[in-house]
């Protein structure tokens, strides 16, 4: 019995000593770990608006015919062009790695084509020098297109596009006949909106969740027309000028969009 009491006393003393020693030890403190930041996944789905700036090369076939007098030479001018600037808006819908969309744009342009010549002629009203000039100008155009693309990486989009094109085309023509004793001349002009088609390829990169840069190439073809302008210097025997033009052009432009 005495032994049992001695053992119990030793155990109790040991526990008290251990507790007191543990209370004297410094406590360990741990700084809370910051939560890992997960950037939100980018999606191409959504509406966007933007602006573009670029250059257009015109490929316009222009010809003039004065039916009442002489067939004028056919003329070509394929290397003229001008700067363009415009705005665009559209909507994309992403399905896995594919993106479907629709886009419309409206652009200012300044593309001109001119032909002309001067040559000697003989006519029933005398001999002299005949001159003519004709011109065609595209001063604005727009498109309404479908877009189909894929995403090689999350923020890079490669796409093809095509659809309706329309634009304002101005035409003019003038001629003069100088016999030495007298000079006769006439002038005519036209201004209309034409429709056609467009096809293109492009790429876009999402710099942020909302800012998207782009580079795009497109080909635009507007309808060709035969227009009668004026009556020609040999009226009333002349049916006037017939000016035929076939305005088409290539466009390379860069732009930026804001995606909502």
């Amino acid at each position: 019995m005495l032994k049992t009491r001695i053992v119990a006393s030793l155990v109790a003393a040991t526990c008290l000593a251990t507790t007191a020693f543990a209370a004297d030890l410094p406590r360990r403190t741990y700084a809370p770990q910051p939560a890992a930041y997960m950037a939100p996944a980018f999606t191409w789905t959504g509406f966007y608006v933007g602006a573009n700036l670029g250059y257009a090369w015109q490929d316009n076939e222009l010809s003039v015919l004065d039916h009442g007098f002489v067939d004028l030479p056919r003329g070509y001018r394929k290397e003229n062009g001008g700067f363009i600037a415009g705005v665009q808006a559209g909507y994309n819908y992403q399905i896995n790695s594919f993106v479907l969309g629709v886009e419309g744009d409206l652009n200012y342009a300044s593309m001109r084509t001119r032909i002309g010549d001067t040559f000697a002629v003989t006519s029933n009203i005398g001999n002299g020098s005949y001159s003519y000039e004709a011109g065609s100008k595209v001063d604005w155009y727009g498109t309404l297109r479908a877009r189909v693309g894929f995403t090689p990486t999350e923020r890079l989009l490669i796409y093809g596009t095509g659809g309706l094109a329309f634009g304002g085309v101005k035409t003019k023509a003038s001629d003069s006949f100088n016999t030495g004793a007298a000079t006769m001349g006439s002038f005519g002009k036209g201004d209309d909106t034409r429709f056609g088609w467009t096809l293109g390829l492009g790429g876009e990169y999402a710099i942020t969740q909302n800012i998207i840069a782009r580079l795009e190439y497109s080909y635009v073809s507007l309808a060709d027309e035969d227009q009668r302008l004026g009556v020609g210097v040999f009226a009333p025997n002349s049916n006037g000028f017939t000016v035929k033009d076939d305005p088409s052009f290539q466009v390379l432009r860069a732009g930026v969009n804001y995606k909502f």
Side-chain angles (χ1 to χ4, degrees), residues 48-57 82-88 103 105-108 141 145 147 159 201-205 207 211-218 250-258:
Y48 61 88
V49 296
N52 69 80
L53 181 67
Y55 193 83
W57 294 266
F83 288 97
I84 64 167
V87 294
Q88 68 270 351
E103 179 177 293
D105 60 60
L106 189 62
N107 309 275
Y108 163 82
Y141 81 96
R145 297 168 283 112
R147 305 201 318 161
Y159 64 88
L201 294 171
E204 296 185 353
Y205 184 79
I207 301 173
I211 305 299
I212 300 173
R214 67 156 52 175
L215 183 66
E216 182 182 273
Y217 165 84
S218 59
Q250 304 176 67
V251 180
L252 182 63
R253 56 185 177 175
V256 62
N257 290 329
Y258 182 87

Side-chain angles (χ1 to χ4, degrees), residues 30 46-47 52 60 76 91 104 116 120 122 162 183 208 212 218-219 233 247:
Y30 296 93
F47 290 95
N52 69 80
N60 189 358
Y76 299 88
Y91 179 80
T122 301
T183 299
T208 70
I212 300 173
S218 59
Y219 182 84
V233 298

Side-chain angles (χ1 to χ4, degrees), residues 100-245:
L100 306 177
V102 61
E103 179 177 293
D105 60 60
L106 189 62
N107 309 275
Y108 163 82
S110 181
M111 293 172 282
R112 305 166 186 248
T113 303
R114 289 190 178 95
I115 59 174
D117 199 4
T118 300
F119 47 89
V121 297
T122 301
S123 72
N124 56 6
I125 61 174
N127 301 329
S129 173
Y130 180 79
S131 300
Y132 78 95
E133 182 178 337
S136 175
K137 175 186 176 184
V138 178
D139 54 9
W140 66 270
Y141 81 96
T143 68
L144 181 60
R145 297 168 283 112
R147 305 201 318 161
V148 180
F150 70 98
T151 55
T153 65
E154 183 180 73
R155 291 177 176 263
L156 177 63
L157 172 65
I158 306 298
Y159 64 88
T161 182
L164 174 69
F166 49 94
V169 181
K170 295 180 179 179
T171 51
K172 66 179 182 178
S174 63
D175 69 346
S176 64
F177 181 61
N178 186 349
T179 63
T183 299
M184 299 174 288
S186 68
F187 175 81
K189 63 181 180 178
D191 187 354
D192 63 335
T193 299
R194 303 188 193 177
F195 293 86
W197 55 271
T198 180
L199 289 174
L201 294 171
E204 296 185 353
Y205 184 79
I207 301 173
T208 70
Q209 291 288 102
N210 303 104
I211 305 299
I212 300 173
R214 67 156 52 175
L215 183 66
E216 182 182 273
Y217 165 84
S218 59
Y219 182 84
V220 181
S221 178
L222 301 177
D224 64 309
E225 286 191 11
D226 294 352
Q227 292 193 351
R228 180 180 173 184
L229 305 176
V231 295
V233 298
F234 294 98
N237 296 322
S238 172
N239 292 322
F241 285 107
T242 297
V243 176
K244 178 179 181 179
D245 66 334

